[in-house]
């Protein structure tokens, strides 16, 4: 990084780690040069997203569905058609990896040579007819150069299982320059039959990425990405309908898309929303990739704008007035600055510095502060994970461990922390929660201090263990760290540690949660646990059930047991929590009167109610803010 600018760590982490003992950085910045391992895949991903954000034209590689030839006569007609002088700017053929211009007898010899090796009657014919399209405004010479290199790379390189012969032509349509490739499916070297499908090494993604890469190398702005990453949910029109409409009206783009089920449409919309989050994360990464670089700042804005477009249901299509004008694209082609390389390098540097930071936290003296730093690192890793496209290192730190994998996990402590994190600093409930947590830490510390030898074996302190327990939930990395420490103990120490954790959970179970916080904790716990979690095992719900059983009259309880939860409305405001408490009251009453075993109901239905209510409140809040903005504008 340049002197005077923030490091990526400082810019993203945003908390004072400079006081920690860090390793020296002798030998340079410590960043890895892109190009090894998965970096090429990452670079292609960055390139595609960046192109979409800039509204770059898409690579179009199309196989004509009924373009395969079944006889010498069909092949002759097809070759004569694509090489006709009134349409073709350049024509050539390839055999054994060498391009040759067409001569007077080239086509007739190709027909004889190819057909002599044909066997059987393949359903799609013995040949493939593929069209390579170029954006409007592409120079004919550049298109020819790309088409020649593309044909060599795809069919003549031997990289996809064999070499295949082809005849190619570039057509000089002023509005739509394109190249035709008629390919013999019988391989020259091994006789392998040409297969183009998503199950094959050679597929449309490979062909499109190669097309886009070669086009950019020749100064043609192009990118290869899938439709959903651009917010396009509908399938393209069927080719037969497109052609019929084009022949009828000259407007194939008016053909309606094929029908789609509601379930499939919902699934695709969810995928598009995932892409929106990726664009947002790349906006963050781009802003960190080149401080002071005008192009990267504009690219960052384009990423964020693309995320918003997809979130609002729009599509990222090339427009006359794009976010990134053509001259900006051209500026990236002079070799002086590669935005994708800058983003890839920034990602690697971010990873290196984050790993170093985590190691520095682990090198701290054992105590509550180390646990708080780990928790802060876990919270920050959510942003870092987004900025690095879900790198496994940040996933382990950002994702919360399952209860079965976390020896410290406890819903009550976790929901106290969650609720506190959602309150404003001046909210009086913050003081209530802090007081409750302080009392909890004190009780836990006293309990853990009774086995000083075990604390020493684990390299921890009673205060540190108390802080872990008070956090309630932990990252996958934290859970794995403590799982490893527990497994390193001998049998006797392991049994003592199990007793320590059991005592800690008993203390948390008995914590006195302020009365006016229990409903919020219940809602948090409903939304936090897995949908298959038993309703009876949600601590705050059970606490409310006990309180309602003591507070309500017999007549009110009878009313609830008959299915009318009106008596609970003044006591419990949230409808999901109220419904869950009513269900548990009825369940316990049935058990008391001997009407059967306790029904092990899950939280799934109540989670759905809670999320629906949250969505309604969010919509109301958004509407109120919109009204406020309008009122302010009128003033």
């Amino acid at each position: 990084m340049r002197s005077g600018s923030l490091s990526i760590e400082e810019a993203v982490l945003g908390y004072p780690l400079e006081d920690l003992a860090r390793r020296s950085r002798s030998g340079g910045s410590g960043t890895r040069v892109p190009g090894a391992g998965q970096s090429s895949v990452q670079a292609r991903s960055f390139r595609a997203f960046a192109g979409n954000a800039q509204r770059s034209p898409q690579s179009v590689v199309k196989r004509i569905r009924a373009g395969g030839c079944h006889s010498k006569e069909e092949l002759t007609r097809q070759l004569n058609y694509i090489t006709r002088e009134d349409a073709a700017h350049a024509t050539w053929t390839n055999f054994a990896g060498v391009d040759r211009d067409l001569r007077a007898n080239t086509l007739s010899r190709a027909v004889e040579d190819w057909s002599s090796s044909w066997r059987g009657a393949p359903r799609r014919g013995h040949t493939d007819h593929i069209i390579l399209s170029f954006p409007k405004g592409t120079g004919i010479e550049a298109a020819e150069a790309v088409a020649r290199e593309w044909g060599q790379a795809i069919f003549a390189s031997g990289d996809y299982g064999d070499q295949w012969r082809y005849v190619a032509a570039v057509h000089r349509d002023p509005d739509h320059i394109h190249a035709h490739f008629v390919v013999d499916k019988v391989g020259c070297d091994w006789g392998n039959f040409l297969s183009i499908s998503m199950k094959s090494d050679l597929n449309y993604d490979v062909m499109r990425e190669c097309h886009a890469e070669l086009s950019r190398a020749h100064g043609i702005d192009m990118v290869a990405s899938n439709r959903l990453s651009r917010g396009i949910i509908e399938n393209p029109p069927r080719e037969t309908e497109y052609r019929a409409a084009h022949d009828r009206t000259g407007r194939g783009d008016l053909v309606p898309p094929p029908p789609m089920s509601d379930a499939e449409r919902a699934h695709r919309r969810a995928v598009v929303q995932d892409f929106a989050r990726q664009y947002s994360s790349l906006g963050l990464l781009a802003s960190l990739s080149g401080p002071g670089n005008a192009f990267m700042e504009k690219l960052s804005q384009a990423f964020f704008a693309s995320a918003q477009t997809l979130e609002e249901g729009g599509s990222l299509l090339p427009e006359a007035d794009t976010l990134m004008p053509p001259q900006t694209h051209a500026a990236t082609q002079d070799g002086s600055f590669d935005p994708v390389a800058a983003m890839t390098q920034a990602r690697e540097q971010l990873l290196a510095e984050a790993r170093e930071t985590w190691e520095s936290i682990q090198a701290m003296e054992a105590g509550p502060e180390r646990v708080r730093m780990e928790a802060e690192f876990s919270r920050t890793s959510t942003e870092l994970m987004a900025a690095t496209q879900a790198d496994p290192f940040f996933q382990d730190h950002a994702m919360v461990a399952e209860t079965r994998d976390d020896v410290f996990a406890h819903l009550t402590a976790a929901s106290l922390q969650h609720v506190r994190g959602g309150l404003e600093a001046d909210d009086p409930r913050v003081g209530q929660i802090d007081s409750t947590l302080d009392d909890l830490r004190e009780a836990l510390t006293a309990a853990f201090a009774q086995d000083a030898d075990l604390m020493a074996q684990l390299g921890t302190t009673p205060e540190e263990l108390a802080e872990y327990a008070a956090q309630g939930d932990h990252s996958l990395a934290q859970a794995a760290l403590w799982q490893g420490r527990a497994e390193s103990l001998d049998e006797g120490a392991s049994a003592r540690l199990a007793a320590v954790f059991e005592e800690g959970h008993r203390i948390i179970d008995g914590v006195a949660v302020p009365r006016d916080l229990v409903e919020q904790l219940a809602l948090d716990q409903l939304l936090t646990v897995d949908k298959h979690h038993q309703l009876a095992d949600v601590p705050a719900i059970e606490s409310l059930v006990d309180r309602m059983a003591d507070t309500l009259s017999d007549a009110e309880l009878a009313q609830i047991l008959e299915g009318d939860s009106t008596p609970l409305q003044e006591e419990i405001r949230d409808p999901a929590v109220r419904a869950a408490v009513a269900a548990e009251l009825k369940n316990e009453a049935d058990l008391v009167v001997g009407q059967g075993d306790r029904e092990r109901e899950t939280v799934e239905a109540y989670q759905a109610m809670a999320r629906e209510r949250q969505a309604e409140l969010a919509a109301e809040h958004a509407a109120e803010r919109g009204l406020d903005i309008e009122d302010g504008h009128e003033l």
Side-chain angles (χ1 to χ4, degrees), residues 237-248 251-252 255-259:
R238 294 186 177 94
E239 185 180 335
T240 52
E241 296 179 6
Y242 176 88
R243 287 190 169 193
H246 193 278
D247 291 343
R248 217 172 34 248
R251 291 291 305 277
V255 179

Side-chain angles (χ1 to χ4, degrees), residues 45 49 52 225-232 268-282 303 306-308 310-311 316 389:
S45 173
F49 280 115
N52 289 347
S225 66
N226 67 51
R227 294 168 65 85
L228 289 176
S229 72
R230 289 174 273 142
I232 304 173
R268 294 189 180 193
R269 290 192 186 281
V271 173
V272 170
Q273 291 305 305
D274 283 339
F275 278 123
R277 287 187 282 273
Q278 292 186 59
Y279 282 106
S280 182
S281 68
L282 287 172
F303 277 133
S306 297
Q308 183 176 355
L310 294 188
E311 287 170 357
L316 309 181
Q389 298 287 280

Side-chain angles (χ1 to χ4, degrees), residues 300-627:
S300 177
Q301 294 170 9
F303 277 133
F304 286 126
S306 297
Q308 183 176 355
T309 297
L310 294 188
E311 287 170 357
E312 295 172 351
S315 302
L316 309 181
L317 300 177
E319 305 166 352
D321 181 19
T322 59
L323 291 171
M324 303 286 284
Q327 58 266 32
T328 308
H329 293 292
T332 68
Q333 301 293 336
D334 61 4
S336 62
F337 180 74
D338 183 349
V340 172
M343 291 174 68
T344 304
Q345 186 176 14
R347 177 181 181 274
E348 297 303 324
Q349 184 174 344
L350 185 57
L351 276 166
E353 292 187 354
R355 288 192 177 98
E356 185 178 348
T357 298
W358 176 250
E359 291 172 5
S360 297
I361 292 173
Q362 295 310 303
M364 292 174 65
E365 184 177 348
E369 183 61 22
R370 182 164 69 172
V371 183
R372 295 188 188 107
M373 295 301 293
E374 287 180 3
E376 183 66 25
F377 189 89
S378 297
R379 285 189 288 271
T380 307
S381 289
T382 304
E383 273 192 78
L384 301 179
M385 183 172 68
T388 56
Q389 298 287 280
D391 182 87
F393 174 80
F394 290 122
Q395 280 187 319
D396 286 346
H397 287 282
M399 296 180 67
V400 176
E402 297 285 347
T403 302
R404 63 178 179 271
D405 300 322
D406 183 0
V407 293
F408 294 99
H410 199 289
L411 269 176
T412 298
S415 55
L416 281 168
Q417 298 281 2
H418 297 165
V419 171
R420 188 197 187 286
L423 299 175
E424 298 292 337
D426 57 353
D427 192 309
R429 289 170 294 179
V430 170
Q432 289 180 301
I433 295 176
D434 285 345
S435 178
T436 301
L437 289 172
D438 286 343
D439 291 344
L440 180 60
R441 292 185 183 99
E442 185 176 348
L444 290 168
T445 299
F448 297 155
Q450 295 178 22
D451 197 336
D453 290 342
L454 180 61
M455 300 296 109
Q457 278 186 263
L458 290 167
T460 187
T461 66
E463 292 80 8
E464 183 172 69
L465 277 191
E467 187 61 39
Y468 263 111
Q471 293 292 340
D473 56 21
H474 307 87
S475 68
L476 291 173
Q478 286 177 297
L481 188 70
W482 267 96
Q483 194 68 35
R485 290 176 182 172
E487 291 173 355
S488 68
L489 299 175
D490 59 34
E491 187 175 349
S494 181
R496 285 153 55 202
L497 180 62
V500 165
F501 288 141
E502 184 177 351
E503 176 63 11
H505 286 306
R506 187 192 65 77
I507 291 172
I508 300 175
D509 285 338
V511 68
V513 176
R515 183 186 178 102
D516 57 348
L517 285 173
V518 176
E519 182 179 335
Q520 285 179 281
L521 265 61
L523 179 59
D524 178 79
Q525 290 171 12
L526 277 179
L527 293 170
T528 299
V529 299
D530 180 84
K531 66 181 182 179
H532 302 299
H533 195 92
Q534 302 294 331
L535 184 59
D537 294 333
V538 179
I541 294 293
E542 290 305 295
S543 177
L544 283 170
V545 168
D546 293 341
R547 194 174 88 197
M548 293 301 100
D550 293 337
T551 302
L552 300 176
S553 66
D554 290 343
E556 289 172 325
L557 285 172
Q559 189 176 346
I560 293 170
L561 298 183
E562 290 174 359
D564 182 2
S565 61
T566 303
L568 293 176
Q569 289 183 358
E570 291 186 6
E571 299 287 341
I572 304 173
R573 288 169 296 177
D574 185 86
V577 175
R578 186 165 60 243
V581 170
E584 277 299 285
L585 282 169
K586 186 177 187 307
N587 197 2
E588 289 189 357
D590 290 345
L591 185 64
V592 169
V593 298
Q595 293 187 7
D597 295 333
R598 183 183 185 91
E599 182 182 351
R600 306 302 291 178
E601 187 177 7
T602 67
V603 304
E604 183 173 7
Y606 306 101
Q607 273 189 345
M609 291 176 61
R611 288 180 177 137
E612 184 177 350
R613 176 59 177 161
Q614 284 189 326
E616 291 174 357
L617 291 174
E620 291 174 7
H621 183 58
E624 289 173 1
R625 286 188 300 168
L627 182 61

